[in-house]
Amino acid sequence: LILVGGTLLLTPGFITDIAGFFLILPPTRPIARRMLGWFATRRLIVASSRFGSAPPPGRRVVPGQVLDE
């Protein structure tokens, strides 16, 4: 987190500076770590559902036959 925060501080821009300070300051690092863990877990669940046998949430599977022409 410190390395990413330092890189964000070197990148020009006001928003990147705020994000960089957020990742570098010791009191905010645990918050950033929890947010990053939540985001990574959520992304892994979505990615695994795409490759698994269950359809992604919100999609319907219509049983049928595939015809090759």
Side-chain angles (χ1 to χ4, degrees):
L1 290 175
I2 294 173
L3 181 65
V4 172
T7 304
L8 287 173
L9 283 173
L10 290 174
T11 306
F14 185 69
I15 302 295
T16 57
D17 286 347
I18 292 172
F21 279 123
F22 184 75
L23 294 177
I24 285 183
L25 295 175
T28 58
R29 256 186 268 151
I31 298 168
R33 192 176 301 120
R34 268 186 257 126
M35 287 174 44
L36 182 63
W38 174 81
F39 181 74
T41 303
R42 186 171 167 92
R43 294 288 295 179
L44 285 173
I45 289 171
V46 170
S48 67
S49 71
R50 289 184 185 160
F51 296 110
S53 61
R59 293 218 173 164
R60 253 183 11 168
V61 175
V62 179
Q65 218 172 13
V66 177
L67 301 175
D68 290 328
E69 293 184 37

